[in-house]
Amino acid sequence: MDQSKFSIVIPSKVIDNNLINCESHIRAFYKEIKIFLLVDFNNANTKFSSNTSIIETGLVNVSEKRNIGIRLTKTEYIVFIDSDAYPEHPWLNDIEKIFKSDSKIGACGGANLSPYSELEERKFICAIKKSFVVSQNANSLKYKRSKSRPINFLPTCNLVVRSAAISISEPMDSKLFAHEDISLNQNIKDKGFSIYFEPSAYVYHKDRSIKSFLKQRFTYGTEALNVFIRYPCKASLNLFLSTLPFVSLFIFSFLWLLKSYLGTDFAPILYLFFKLSSLILISSLILIIFESFKVFYAYKKNFLKIIYVLFLSVFLPGLGQVARPFLNWKLRRKIWVH
């Protein structure tokens, strides 16, 4: 493999154990690749390889960190990986072969698997994330058994992009606090390139605590409508649909109170919205119960806890969307990074 053709961009809030672990695992297989660590500020005296650069970005969001990293690269391919992810094999070798097979492939990535953990809470979240109501393309991105194929969307926790397939000025929408990877994927497709999934190019992506995971679900929802309007595609549609359960609950509750107050004066159009919100709520609850049984079949315990966490996972994105007008940038960033 020609390592001079690749650069790796890793955003992080600070230099922590996750970031150090990610960089060291990469260096086990690739000594010569240039790695850019994008951090708010350099908070440690950690010594990295001579080919690893620490870039202080100040307080910016993740999309801007990655944009800064992209502008620093001069290579044919740009690798994105999250600081809490890491490879256990030379995963870029397989991706290079995919790019060489077709010049119109603009991006290629693999699964992001949950690493083994002794912590029961991590095992629990690993099982939850394999549900399609939580993870897009869950059947592909959370298992090794998937097949190589073109795909509509891949997250930037494990993604390699051909430089020619993106706009170098702002490949990711810097106004987005979350789901910047949707803007990148759309950027690639708009330039006439395809996105390819290669299951052999997997990395391990550490699972969050339950509290952190639920905060993530809330934050995801804050950008749902904005992303769907700016980048209409299957991925953004799925994101927007994830907000409907809570929005329907909100509308249902409001109309139920209004109906109790107005009685027979309740307008037919309001009754239609009342029935529609009821249908979405009932469908959501049925789906949560069905997925809870699937997760329980794999996890084998804590059925009530599974239902509880899946219920919050399904309803929190919509709460994030409703709360969005009341959250400033600093508050959203604080919720996201802790």
Side-chain angles (χ1 to χ4, degrees), residues 24-139:
S24 65
H25 273 77
I26 294 171
R27 286 296 179 218
F29 309 107
Y30 305 108
K31 307 293 186 186
E32 304 302 322
I33 290 180
K34 186 70 175 176
I35 298 178
F36 295 96
L37 308 180
L38 288 303
V39 296
D40 291 357
F41 61 94
N42 188 356
N43 62 301
N45 293 320
T46 305
K47 291 186 178 181
F48 294 101
S49 158
S50 60
N51 288 320
T52 297
S53 299
I54 301 171
I55 310 300
E56 295 189 64
T57 64
L59 296 177
V60 299
N61 57 17
V62 174
S63 56
E64 184 56 26
K65 284 182 186 287
R66 290 196 174 108
N67 283 341
I68 292 170
I70 290 168
R71 288 192 285 268
L72 291 171
T73 63
K74 307 296 181 184
T75 52
E76 186 175 350
Y77 305 111
I78 304 170
V79 182
F80 298 106
I81 185 170
D82 281 2
S83 62
D84 58 350
Y86 59 91
E88 288 283 13
H89 69 295
W91 88 114
L92 297 178
N93 294 30
D94 294 328
I95 290 180
E96 184 185 41
K97 293 175 184 177
I98 296 297
F99 280 122
K100 287 182 176 180
S101 69
D102 187 348
S103 62
K104 294 308 292 180
I105 293 176
C108 180
N112 57 94
L113 308 175
S114 295
Y116 175 77
S117 174
E118 295 286 351
L119 298 174
E120 199 60 39
E121 189 175 28
R122 299 297 197 271
K123 294 178 182 178
F124 178 80
I125 291 299
C126 171
I128 291 289
K129 286 169 64 177
K130 290 180 179 179
S131 170
F132 81 93
V133 301
V134 172
S135 302
Q136 291 207 47
N137 294 321
N139 288 333

Side-chain angles (χ1 to χ4, degrees), residues 61-321:
N61 57 17
V62 174
S63 56
E64 184 56 26
K65 284 182 186 287
R66 290 196 174 108
N67 283 341
I68 292 170
I70 290 168
R71 288 192 285 268
L72 291 171
T73 63
K74 307 296 181 184
T75 52
E76 186 175 350
Y77 305 111
I78 304 170
V79 182
F80 298 106
I81 185 170
D82 281 2
S83 62
D84 58 350
Y86 59 91
E88 288 283 13
H89 69 295
W91 88 114
L92 297 178
N93 294 30
D94 294 328
I95 290 180
E96 184 185 41
K97 293 175 184 177
I98 296 297
F99 280 122
K100 287 182 176 180
S101 69
D102 187 348
S103 62
K104 294 308 292 180
I105 293 176
C108 180
N112 57 94
L113 308 175
S114 295
Y116 175 77
S117 174
E118 295 286 351
L119 298 174
E120 199 60 39
E121 189 175 28
R122 299 297 197 271
K123 294 178 182 178
F124 178 80
I125 291 299
C126 171
I128 291 289
K129 286 169 64 177
K130 290 180 179 179
S131 170
F132 81 93
V133 301
V134 172
S135 302
Q136 291 207 47
N137 294 321
N139 288 333
S140 297
L141 300 184
K142 298 303 176 183
Y143 298 93
K144 289 184 181 180
R145 63 172 182 259
S146 309
K147 295 181 179 180
S148 302
R149 66 188 187 281
I151 197 168
N152 69 84
F153 169 79
L154 284 174
T156 45
C157 60
N158 178 23
L159 184 67
V160 184
V161 175
R162 192 189 297 269
S163 296
I166 57 175
S167 167
I168 297 299
S169 59
E170 189 170 301
M172 295 190 185
D173 191 334
S174 61
K175 294 182 177 63
L176 296 178
F177 197 84
H179 308 296
E180 70 283 347
D181 39 16
I182 291 180
S183 68
L184 177 66
N185 277 248
Q186 201 60 29
N187 184 338
I188 292 165
K189 289 184 282 189
D190 287 346
K191 294 196 72 172
F193 289 86
S194 62
I195 299 169
Y196 202 86
F197 175 73
E198 174 48 54
S200 65
Y202 62 87
V203 300
Y204 288 98
H205 198 181
K206 293 182 179 180
D207 292 310
R208 295 166 177 256
S209 66
I210 293 175
K211 181 179 179 180
S212 181
F213 169 72
L214 293 176
K215 281 185 177 181
Q216 182 187 54
R217 296 293 297 166
F218 174 87
T219 306
Y220 276 171
T222 63
E223 291 284 18
L225 181 60
N226 187 26
V227 172
F228 179 62
I229 292 172
R230 295 169 71 91
Y231 304 98
C233 61
K234 183 178 179 181
S236 62
L237 175 61
N238 289 336
L239 174 62
F240 172 70
L241 292 176
S242 73
T243 67
L244 292 185
F246 180 83
V247 172
S248 297
L249 175 61
F250 184 81
I251 293 173
F252 173 84
S253 301
F254 173 75
L255 292 180
W256 183 79
L257 291 172
L258 190 62
K259 184 173 180 291
S260 300
Y261 177 75
L262 294 177
T264 56
D265 293 329
F266 197 62
I269 186 65
L270 294 179
Y271 188 70
L272 177 63
F273 278 106
F274 182 76
K275 292 181 66 175
L276 180 60
S277 60
S278 302
L279 178 62
I280 294 175
L281 275 176
I282 293 170
S283 300
S284 299
L285 292 174
I286 291 173
L287 189 60
I288 290 169
I289 294 171
F290 177 76
E291 284 297 294
S292 296
F293 276 108
K294 285 180 61 178
V295 173
F296 178 72
Y297 179 77
Y299 186 61
K300 307 298 187 202
K301 50 188 169 182
N302 292 334
F303 181 71
L304 292 179
K305 186 177 180 181
I306 291 169
I307 289 183
Y308 172 71
V309 174
L310 273 182
F311 178 87
L312 291 177
S313 300
V314 168
F315 281 85
L316 278 174
L319 177 59
Q321 181 60 72

